[in-house]
Amino acid sequence: MKAKKRIAVILAAAVAALTISVSAFAFTGCGAPTVVLNGSTSMKDVTEALMKEYMKDNDVRVTYAATGSGAGIEAVEGGTADIGLSSREIKSEETEIGLVATAIGIDAVVMVVNKSNTTTTNVTKAQLAALYTSDTAIDSVVTKAVGRESSSGTRDCFDSTIEIDSYSNNVALQNSTGGVVSTVAGNANAIGYVSLSSVDTSQVTPVQYEGVTASEATVKDKSYKLTRNFNFVLPKGGVDSLSEAAKDFYDFCLSDEGMAIIASCGVVTTD
């Protein structure tokens, strides 16, 4: 009898544990609608902050693939993403097919050098053009250029501002903002460009561009010239084409609460 009682107790406990597990799984949003985001790696921090805050109070699953601006725009066009994240402006051929871009903030592109480099504090447009196109050293320390792949929105901003059409074969191309940071952090002679909101001063040192330090103030007064918008890219039809869940997330991001989150991530919000 005692053995039968023990078995009964064990079975009851197992059933109770299973019930709790199923309840917990259901509570986390099993079957909840999904919003799919795809695009810019420079927008990673701000996007993840918005997602985290939104999902606290909404039974919606928001996913994000950091594939680069160009890939994100293609995902929206192809219908595999609800909202694309682009750190470049959409092109005429993209607007012609109906894609719509909305700026959620303004970001600076910052030149960064290795932590051991204490002599390079400022770089000019001419110096950067010479280094990235013909391997001409900026000074006695900076001899190696690090850049992004061709679909990067950060590269688009850098190239258009510096007026570069193509890179030297010696430029070390990276597929993400994190890749640029880690490459510069590992090479005492390197310089690269990253988003202001992604600068990690424990790994790299930001330097001035044309004598101006990138900051919220210099972005707003336009004295810092290496800037671009962070954009949400929507499919043809704009907001009206979004699912109910995607539209709710989009509205949240553009609300006062969303703008405060964006600003907290080091992105200059639009007025």
Side-chain angles (χ1 to χ4, degrees):
M1 293 293 291
K2 289 182 179 179
K4 288 183 178 179
K5 279 188 176 181
R6 282 198 296 271
I7 293 171
V9 169
I10 291 169
L11 287 173
V15 170
L18 180 60
T19 302
I20 292 171
S21 175
V22 170
S23 297
F25 181 67
F27 182 74
T28 56
C30 180
T34 299
V35 178
V36 180
L37 312 178
N38 191 317
S40 172
T41 66
S42 297
M43 294 174 68
K44 180 177 185 292
D45 291 345
V46 67
T47 300
E48 290 181 345
L50 289 165
M51 291 166 57
K52 180 179 179 180
E53 198 60 35
Y54 179 77
M55 286 192 287
K56 279 183 182 178
D57 301 316
N58 295 276
D59 189 20
V60 175
R61 180 170 177 258
V62 185
T63 68
Y64 163 52
T67 58
S69 297
I73 292 171
E74 288 177 2
V76 172
E77 180 185 351
T80 59
D82 296 298
I83 300 173
L85 311 173
S86 178
S87 55
R88 66 162 173 80
E89 296 307 309
I90 59 175
K91 300 174 182 178
S92 58
E93 58 265 31
E94 293 162 345
T95 59
E96 285 171 2
I97 60 173
L99 300 186
V100 179
T102 300
I104 66 166
I106 308 168
D107 182 61
V109 174
V110 184
M111 305 309 302
V112 294
V113 297
N114 187 272
K115 291 290 289 183
S116 68
N117 183 351
T118 58
T119 59
T120 308
T121 59
N122 177 64
V123 292
T124 67
K125 177 179 177 179
Q127 288 174 325
L128 291 172
L131 176 64
Y132 277 81
T133 60
S134 60
D135 305 318
T136 304
I138 286 179
D139 53 31
S140 60
V141 179
V142 178
T143 60
K144 181 65 176 179
V146 183
R148 289 289 306 279
E149 81 290 352
S150 60
S151 66
S152 162
T154 309
R155 174 170 173 172
D156 183 82
C157 173
F158 178 81
D159 288 3
S160 60
T161 303
I162 307 302
E163 298 182 273
I164 294 176
D165 293 323
S166 61
Y167 287 175
S168 157
N169 290 333
N170 293 320
V171 176
L173 298 181
Q174 303 299 316
N175 291 325
S176 68
T177 297
V180 173
V181 171
S182 61
T183 302
V184 173
N187 187 328
N189 303 113
I191 190 170
Y193 49 80
V194 298
S195 164
L196 174 61
S197 61
S198 302
V199 173
D200 182 352
T201 54
S202 69
Q203 297 190 64
V204 292
T205 300
V207 299
Q208 292 183 332
Y209 171 68
E210 294 287 357
V212 181
T213 300
S215 68
E216 180 180 355
T218 58
V219 169
K220 281 192 170 182
D221 69 17
K222 299 183 180 180
S223 58
Y224 189 80
K225 302 302 183 183
L226 263 172
T227 63
R228 44 59 186 290
N229 287 340
F230 275 172
N231 296 298
F232 278 173
V233 180
L234 308 182
K236 184 177 181 180
V239 176
D240 292 339
S241 68
L242 297 177
S243 67
E244 183 178 347
K247 183 179 185 304
D248 193 61
F249 175 74
Y250 174 86
D251 289 341
F252 166 79
C253 294
L254 295 180
S255 69
D256 290 343
E257 184 180 358
M259 286 292 117
I261 295 168
I262 291 168
S264 73
C265 294
V267 179
V268 178
T269 54
T270 53
D271 295 326

